Amino acid sequence: MGILSNVLGFATFGLAARFGQLGIQKRNLFSNPGGHIIAMGAFGFAGYWAHKWDIRAAEIIAEKKSLLEERRRKQITQAEALGSQQLAEAE
């Protein structure tokens, strides 16, 4: 998912939350547009942060995956070496 769609989606959710808040209070939805901008900005920043975290989490997972694969390769080569050594001793 792109950063723009993530930020706009969160900002839209912030606007909807603001409208919901004003609706519960039974206030005019368009009386204070500054509050809408603040809510959209705050939720948009949360969307930006969520996008950056998603990218960083994918990098961390890829690093851990490569470490695990490397360890498994080492264990397999050690086991093969030990097995061939035991076969040579048995003969």
Side-chain angles (χ1 to χ4, degrees):
M1 185 181 332
I3 189 167
L4 183 63
S5 63
N6 209 2
V7 170
L8 289 178
F10 272 75
T12 303
F13 182 78
L15 182 64
R18 176 74 176 158
F19 281 157
Q21 174 191 21
L22 293 176
I24 288 172
Q25 295 176 355
K26 297 187 182 188
R27 291 173 45 196
N28 185 5
L29 297 180
F30 300 105
S31 64
N32 185 11
H36 301 323
I37 293 171
I38 291 171
M40 289 178 72
F43 277 85
F45 178 72
Y48 174 77
W49 181 82
H51 177 75
K52 291 297 183 183
W53 172 251
D54 190 35
I55 291 172
R56 181 65 184 135
E59 291 173 356
I60 291 171
I61 290 172
E63 289 173 6
K64 294 291 182 180
K65 218 175 182 182
S66 67
L67 284 174
L68 285 173
E69 289 172 356
E70 183 180 332
R71 286 181 189 162
R72 286 179 186 158
R73 261 190 246 116
K74 284 182 183 178
Q75 286 178 347
I76 289 171
T77 56
Q78 287 176 353
E80 288 174 349
L82 182 63
S84 62
Q85 182 184 12
Q86 288 177 351
L87 281 175
E89 290 175 0
E91 292 176 352

